[in-house]
Amino acid sequence: MNFPNISERLYLSFINTRIVKHSKTHELITSESDLENWLAFIYDNFTNYQPAMVVCRQLLSELTEYQLALHELLTFRESLYHQLDAITHGGKMADFIREIEKNINELKPKIACIDRNVLLVPQSETFCDSLQMFILSDILDSFSKGDIDKLSHCHNHECVLLFINKTGRRKWCSMEICGNRNKVKNFHNKYK
Ligand SMILES: [Zn+2]
């Protein structure tokens, strides 16, 4: 199954690596190669995250305890999903941002210049911490640019995907995943 290309944000692309279709959950990252593919997907589709992806891909290739890292990442994703989900249901943005700040500070950020790109990296320089740092920083960037205020859920109730609803008129995560299915459903309801 392909990674949904429905948001231009790193943190949302990360959240959207779990899909619910026909009431069945599909986990898109279950192996080291899935993770490699996901990093390549971000690298290929979103040029502004390329420097961060270069760092992550390098660290992943050196990683020895892959299972531990995967478990940590999925736990991180789960907790982030619940926090973002709460925001879409009227949760307090200020509290959420304080929490993200705290999480970043716990990773003890430091500045690194990599190929003329200035990046905030964690003190530990491990794969997991680095990816988390890039994702958390992206949330703060999304907050400072204001697009996080347009965070939306797909209108398909069983779908768990999140995206930035720039115009406010977007209903579906994508036509391919939910939009077309719903159109077909409406068509049948209308003519049965
Ligand atoms: Zn959807």
Side-chain angles (χ1 to χ4, degrees), residues 16-46:
N16 293 336
T17 50
R18 181 176 61 104
I19 294 180
V20 179
K21 249 181 164 179
H22 307 294
S23 310
K24 202 166 169 265
T25 301
H26 300 273
E27 176 55 70
L28 303 184
I29 299 182
T30 57
S31 66
E32 195 164 353
S33 67
D34 289 342
L35 202 47
E36 271 170 26
N37 289 340
W38 181 73
L39 296 173
F41 161 78
I42 298 294
Y43 183 91
D44 293 342
N45 288 284
F46 312 110

Side-chain angles (χ1 to χ4, degrees), residues 4-16 38 41-42 46 48-49 134-148 151 162-164 166:
N5 191 350
I6 62 163
S7 97
E8 288 144 27
R9 283 283 178 192
L10 176 65
Y11 71 97
L12 292 177
S13 296
F14 176 66
I15 291 295
N16 293 336
W38 181 73
F41 161 78
I42 298 294
F46 312 110
N48 48 327
Y49 299 115
F134 297 139
I135 288 169
L136 294 167
S137 305
D138 190 45
I139 293 177
L140 291 193
D141 185 61
S142 181
F143 175 66
S144 73
K145 301 216 165 93
D147 57 350
I148 203 169
L151 188 66
L162 295 171
F163 54 86
I164 301 291
K166 285 184 191 157

Side-chain angles (χ1 to χ4, degrees), residues 7 25 32-33 37 41 49 56 64 71 79 84 95 105 113 117 124 130 140 152 158 170 177 187 192:
S7 97
T25 301
E32 195 164 353
S33 67
N37 289 340
F41 161 78
Y49 299 115
C56 287
T64 47
H71 180 73
S79 127
L84 290 166
D95 293 346
N105 288 330
C113 256
N117 296 292
S124 69
S130 301
L140 291 193
S152 293
E158 73 163 28
R170 181 167 162 192
I177 303 172
F187 182 84
K192 78 182 166 192

Side-chain angles (χ1 to χ4, degrees), residues 154 156 159 161 172-174 177-178:
C154 177
N156 174 3
C159 178
L161 301 180
W172 316 110
C173 54
S174 76
I177 303 172
C178 290

Side-chain angles (χ1 to χ4, degrees), residues 94-105:
D95 293 346
F96 170 61
I97 295 300
R98 288 291 93 77
E99 190 64 27
I100 299 298
E101 260 179 12
K102 198 177 123 222
N103 293 346
I104 291 183
N105 288 330

